[in-house]
Amino acid sequence: MPSVVKAVYVNFAAARSADRMNRLATLVRRAELNSLVIDIRSDGGALLHARDADTLAQLRALRDAGIYLIARLVAFKGGPRGWYDPGSEARWREIAEISLRAFDLGFDEVNYDYVRYGAAREPRSRTPIRERTPTVRAFFDFLRAEVGDAASRPISADVFGITLLGPLDAIGQRLEDAAERFDYVMPMPYPSHWEPGSFGFANPAHHPYETVHAALSAGLRRLAELPGRVARLRSWIQAFDLDSSRPMRRYRYTPWHVQEQIRACDDAGCAGWAAWNPRSRYEEDALRVDSPETA
């Protein structure tokens, strides 16, 4: 495992395309990255390609090229009614089985996204709000025992950026709960997703360094108070065009904006970062890394 992960996100369609994956592997080499976060299926079918042998061969080639491979598994979004019940132990077991298969096929780490109840404009749950955080925490305990400890491999969890400032009872996410049970916590403090006025900026998306650094620093201060802290913080960064205005509008995110977030992660003391673009299209200049910690 690299001591500092420098990654880009690869969506499912890109991961299944030989041409796209070749280009992304070249990007990793040319931009001095070291990792890929790759979507896998989370419904119990084939994880990536139709044949596991093809997935195994693809991942082996990437690992032989020195690339650290993180499987991104969507936990509760996308169920039969648009959202799985986070309290469903049957879903928990399915997630554990998929995770262990991902390790068997060659992934180095499993990353869990949507480890929460639905937020605004997402399907509502009948679970009382007071029960949601304990339920998500119990799921984290399950993953620690049945995946991380069972496989002796690293696991990570994505959380909303705002959880760096405090718990979100409505969706069941609490930074401390994740930090005590995962090897890495990956918050999403995208500058565009903060409300106007956050951290003193009328439009936080226009201040990528200051916004990301302030959010991460707040979270790291909270984690420093945990006596049994396990996880290190590894941040998602914004590599897509979006503004903080309300309603949101397109705003060009240049290589400078991306580099400023990388600088904020480094200065805050994160154990790396992963760039998110939903189309998995990245500008090489935005991801050039001068640090010697690239392997």
Side-chain angles (χ1 to χ4, degrees), residues 72-101:
R72 175 180 176 266
L73 197 165
V74 174
F76 299 125
K77 182 183 179 182
R81 298 179 181 177
W83 207 270
Y84 290 99
D85 174 11
S88 169
E89 293 189 10
R91 177 58 181 165
W92 294 9
R93 289 191 294 273
E94 184 177 42
I95 289 170
E97 291 171 3
I98 295 166
S99 302
L100 296 175
R101 284 182 60 202

Side-chain angles (χ1 to χ4, degrees), residues 219-278:
L220 286 164
R221 285 193 296 271
R222 289 174 58 204
L223 296 186
E225 299 175 357
L226 292 179
R229 178 186 170 192
V230 174
R232 297 183 69 191
L233 220 58
R234 178 200 295 154
S235 186
W236 286 101
I237 61 173
Q238 178 175 340
F240 53 88
D241 296 339
L242 198 62
D243 208 355
S244 300
S245 57
R246 298 295 185 266
M248 288 179 167
R249 61 181 176 83
R250 185 181 183 278
Y251 170 71
R252 169 86 168 104
Y253 241 57
T254 67
W256 175 83
H257 291 85
V258 177
Q259 283 283 337
E260 284 292 276
Q261 293 174 86
I262 293 173
R263 187 166 68 90
C265 292
D266 291 343
D267 289 352
C270 282
W273 45 267
W276 175 275
N277 180 286

Side-chain angles (χ1 to χ4, degrees), residues 24-36:
L24 285 164
T26 299
L27 173 70
V28 170
R29 184 179 69 255
R30 290 172 58 89
E32 302 175 44
L33 307 176
N34 56 29
S35 310
L36 294 173

Side-chain angles (χ1 to χ4, degrees), residues 95-117:
I95 289 170
E97 291 171 3
I98 295 166
S99 302
L100 296 175
R101 284 182 60 202
F103 286 133
D104 287 342
L105 288 174
F107 282 100
D108 299 297
E109 176 181 327
V110 176
N111 165 257
Y112 301 94
D113 200 1
Y114 289 91
V115 285
R116 58 178 177 80
Y117 286 82

